[in-house]
Amino acid sequence: MRAPIGTFDDARPATDCLDVLTAPVADAVRAWSGDVPAEQLIYVDTDPEIADTAAFVEHYGRDLLEESANCVVVAGKRGGGSTLAACVVLSSTRLDVNGAVRKQLGARKASFASMDTATGETGMEYGGITPIGLPADWPLLVDSAVVDTQWVLVGSGRRRGKLILPGKAFAQLPGAVVIEALGI
């Protein structure tokens, strides 16, 4: 199978790769429903040593920078409480944590969650966090530019491998709120 974007040696439907996904991601792929069929979730095998965006696009192609997204875990704080959320923005932008995220979460302060919190709460590896399979009660803030991109490459839950799916699929994920200019 050929991936819809990029040039990868190994591209397969994610439904055929459940054994290489983390448990929460595999469970979400198994339970997938909505307008985008599960067969349109594509798993591509990639080198875990170059999972971070800059190294990844240098190796797999600079054109992927405009077609890939980062999923970032944030913590919003108000009073004595804290809310965890995930945010998805195109890799060519940076997350507006102190503006759009803080406002959407109704928080006094918002910041990136620690690595231990992000991995412990998601069950995913740092550098591979994906919005597919996040805790169901988390807000998922998605930049409208991600939804408007035909095909988007995002983490698979592990540093090895990525998922490619239609941008419109991000809007149908549990807890998704599509926001204009989340990435700046």
Side-chain angles (χ1 to χ4, degrees):
M1 160 181 240
R2 187 181 183 307
I5 57 173
T7 305
F8 300 96
D9 294 334
D10 183 7
R12 299 174 274 160
T15 52
D16 295 347
C17 305
L18 299 175
D19 60 322
V20 298
L21 301 172
T22 60
V25 178
D27 290 346
V29 170
R30 250 187 235 102
W32 188 265
S33 65
D35 295 338
V36 174
E39 295 74 32
Q40 288 189 13
L41 278 67
I42 308 300
Y43 174 83
V44 292
D45 190 39
T46 59
D47 184 344
E49 296 301 316
I50 54 172
D52 296 324
T53 303
F56 188 88
V57 299
E58 188 65 37
H59 181 81
Y60 289 102
R62 292 204 154 283
D63 54 321
L64 288 172
L65 187 61
E66 298 298 325
E67 298 171 311
S68 63
N70 291 323
C71 182
V72 181
V73 178
V74 296
K77 296 176 183 156
R78 181 169 196 87
S82 181
T83 300
L84 291 176
C87 303
V88 181
V89 296
L90 290 176
S91 297
S92 59
T93 66
R94 62 182 172 79
L95 181 63
D96 183 12
V97 177
N98 293 312
V101 173
R102 186 183 58 74
K103 181 179 174 184
Q104 184 65 35
L105 295 179
R108 184 184 54 75
K109 180 182 179 189
S111 59
F112 296 105
S114 71
M115 182 173 68
D116 288 344
T117 297
T119 57
E121 295 293 326
T122 63
M124 300 178 200
E125 294 178 5
Y126 192 74
I129 293 175
T130 184
I132 299 166
L134 290 170
D137 59 340
W138 281 21
L140 174 61
L141 311 182
V142 181
D143 190 290
S144 60
V146 172
V147 175
D148 293 340
T149 302
Q150 185 175 6
W151 291 96
V152 179
L153 179 126
V154 69
S156 68
R158 298 179 59 215
R159 287 186 65 83
R160 167 169 228 114
K162 302 283 185 186
L163 295 174
I164 298 173
L165 58 152
K168 65 184 179 181
F170 289 86
Q172 75 180 43
L173 292 171
V177 177
V178 178
I179 299 172
E180 195 78 29
L182 183 62
I184 52 177

